Amino acid sequence: MNNAVEIRWHGRGGQGAKTAALLLADVAFKTGKFVQGFPEYGPERMGAPITAYNRISDNAIRVHSNIYDPDFVVVVDESLLEVCDVVNGLSKDGAIVVNTKKSIDEIKPHLGGYEGKVYTIDAKKVSKACLGKYFPNTPMLAAIVKVSRVMDWNDFLSEMRLSFEHKFSSKPEVIEGNMNALKMAYEEVIG
C-alpha cells in the first residue's frame, strides 16, 4: 500500500501487544494520520500467541485486511521466535524489533535468514526500572516509534502523556512511570 507504514505485532495473550497496537493507532490518529489498529482473533487465551496490526498513513487507508507484507515487525516475547514465523513477508527494507536481553548476533540465527535490519530492546529491564513490574508493551511501543519513525517523537510523547493522564487520572505515579518507560526505551533500543 502506497505511503502507509504497516506494522505486525507478535506477542502472547496478556502482554499488551493488542493494547500497544491500538494505542499506537490512537496516538497516530491524534497527530493527524490515517490509521488502523486491530488484532487477529482466534482462540487466544492468556499466554497463547497473538497477532495485532497497524497501518499508519498520511492518506486515506482503503484496504481492510490483515497485513501480510509488513514494513516492520515487533516481537514482544522472544520465545515466539521458535514458535512463529515472525519474519514471514517482512520487507528486507524494513526492520524487526525484538524484546530480548540477547545481542543482535544471538537473535539473527532465529530469524530464518532475514536480511533486513534487526533491533533489540530489553523491555523487561526498562519496565522493571520505570514501572516496578513487567509490562513490555510500553517499552515496545516507544521502540517501534523510534525504529519506524512513523511519527515525530515529541508529538508521540505529548499524545502519550495525554492518553496516560486520561487512563490513569487518579494514579499520577503510573503516568510518570509510563512516561519514563517510553523515554528510557527510546534510549535503550540497540540496532
Side-chain angles (χ1 to χ4, degrees):
M1 190 179 154
N2 291 340
N3 300 325
V5 173
E6 296 184 322
I7 302 168
R8 187 174 64 217
W9 296 75
H10 292 277
R12 291 191 179 275
Q15 291 180 325
K18 175 185 118 174
T19 300
L22 297 176
L23 190 52
L24 180 58
D26 185 52
V27 169
F29 177 75
K30 289 177 180 174
T31 66
K33 305 278 187 185
F34 292 88
V35 302
Q36 291 178 350
F38 55 97
E40 179 177 17
Y41 283 108
E44 282 80 16
R45 61 194 181 288
M46 188 69 73
I50 66 107
T51 309
Y53 305 93
N54 285 112
R55 281 192 183 93
I56 301 172
S57 178
D58 291 326
N59 303 310
I61 300 171
R62 305 216 185 280
V63 98
H64 298 281
S65 67
N66 288 348
I67 295 171
Y68 301 104
D69 299 307
D71 301 299
F72 299 94
V73 167
V74 181
V75 181
V76 181
D77 187 318
E78 76 175 291
S79 71
L80 292 171
L81 298 176
E82 307 303 324
V83 178
C84 304
D85 184 6
V86 297
V87 295
N88 184 32
L90 178 58
S91 167
K92 69 178 180 177
D93 296 327
I96 184 169
V97 182
V98 181
N99 172 15
T100 183
K101 59 183 174 183
K102 294 178 182 171
S103 71
I104 292 171
D105 287 338
E106 290 175 291
I107 291 298
K108 279 187 176 181
H110 303 278
L111 300 180
Y114 177 66
E115 297 176 1
K117 293 179 184 169
V118 178
Y119 295 85
T120 62
I121 180 169
D122 186 348
K124 185 173 191 175
K125 177 179 112 178
V126 172
S127 182
K128 291 251 185 183
C130 298
L131 301 166
K133 293 183 179 179
Y134 183 40
F135 297 110
N137 59 340
T138 298
M140 296 308 290
L141 189 53
I144 193 58
V145 169
K146 178 180 183 175
V147 169
S148 69
R149 298 181 182 146
V150 73
M151 69 185 73
D152 177 79
W153 177 249
N154 291 321
D155 290 345
F156 169 74
L157 280 181
S158 177
E159 290 300 331
M160 287 300 295
R161 177 170 288 282
L162 292 172
S163 179
F164 289 144
E165 286 172 351
H166 175 75
K167 186 174 182 179
F168 303 113
S169 61
S170 64
K171 299 179 183 177
E173 70 282 359
V174 174
I175 297 166
E176 290 312 312
N178 275 287
M179 291 305 297
N180 290 337
L182 291 172
K183 293 171 189 171
M184 183 177 175
Y186 185 87
E187 299 301 324
E188 293 283 322
V189 174
I190 298 169

